[in-house]
Amino acid sequence: VFRSDVDYTEKEEAMMLYEQGKYKQAIMAFTQVIAEEENPSVFYFYNGLSYLSLENSEKAIYNLQQVEGSCQLAEQTEWYLALAYLQANDLENTQSFLDDILQDGAFYKENAKSLKHDLD
């Protein structure tokens, strides 16, 4: 890891690793941040996406389920939970999240409609 004269916070470091596609390192960094953060929902979200990117659906689902409904990423979380359940080959939960998105969601509504059509 290249370090410049700039000292990044643990949160910034975790997000940079995620954005660079270094998901294994990002997971380690997010896990540390989650342990120290009072309201870790955002970091659970990105930790879940990191696991999803590494095709570890079980850990992706666990992390995404930790995102609180009051979090600004709650609606997006439903979409990624649908994808994680699909990756886990759990079509019942996938369909359930897609239905929720189609009923209430603003984010990923068109994607949900398309995926639901493909699954039917």
Side-chain angles (χ1 to χ4, degrees):
V1 175
F2 173 77
R3 294 267 183 185
S4 67
D5 293 337
V6 178
D7 281 334
Y8 294 105
T9 67
E10 287 181 331
K11 296 173 193 175
E12 291 169 330
E13 184 81 22
M15 290 304 296
M16 285 192 316
L17 290 166
Y18 172 80
E19 289 168 1
Q20 294 168 358
K22 297 177 180 176
Y23 301 118
K24 288 181 182 177
Q25 295 103 314
I27 287 167
M28 290 188 299
F30 284 130
T31 301
Q32 183 67 34
V33 171
I34 288 167
E36 299 169 359
E37 189 68 16
E38 189 174 315
N39 185 2
S41 284
V42 170
F43 303 102
Y44 273 120
F45 177 82
Y46 285 104
N47 209 28
L49 296 189
S50 297
Y51 278 115
L52 189 61
S53 295
L54 295 173
E55 298 185 16
N56 186 334
S57 54
E58 183 178 321
K59 289 188 177 181
I61 291 166
Y62 171 80
N63 279 271
L64 292 168
Q65 287 175 333
Q66 305 311 305
V67 177
E68 295 180 8
S70 60
C71 177
Q72 70 266 26
L73 296 169
E75 279 193 62
Q76 294 93 320
T77 300
E78 287 187 330
W79 169 249
Y80 289 105
L81 273 165
L83 294 182
Y85 280 114
L86 180 60
Q87 191 178 79
N89 211 18
D90 181 341
L91 298 182
E92 185 177 328
N93 276 313
T94 301
Q95 292 280 11
S96 176
F97 278 99
L98 293 175
D99 289 341
D100 288 347
I101 293 166
L102 290 172
Q103 184 175 6
D104 304 322
F107 290 95
Y108 301 106
K109 195 168 198 163
E110 288 304 311
N111 298 46
K113 186 186 293 185
S114 177
L115 181 56
K116 188 161 177 61
H117 179 265
D118 291 347
L119 293 174
D120 287 341

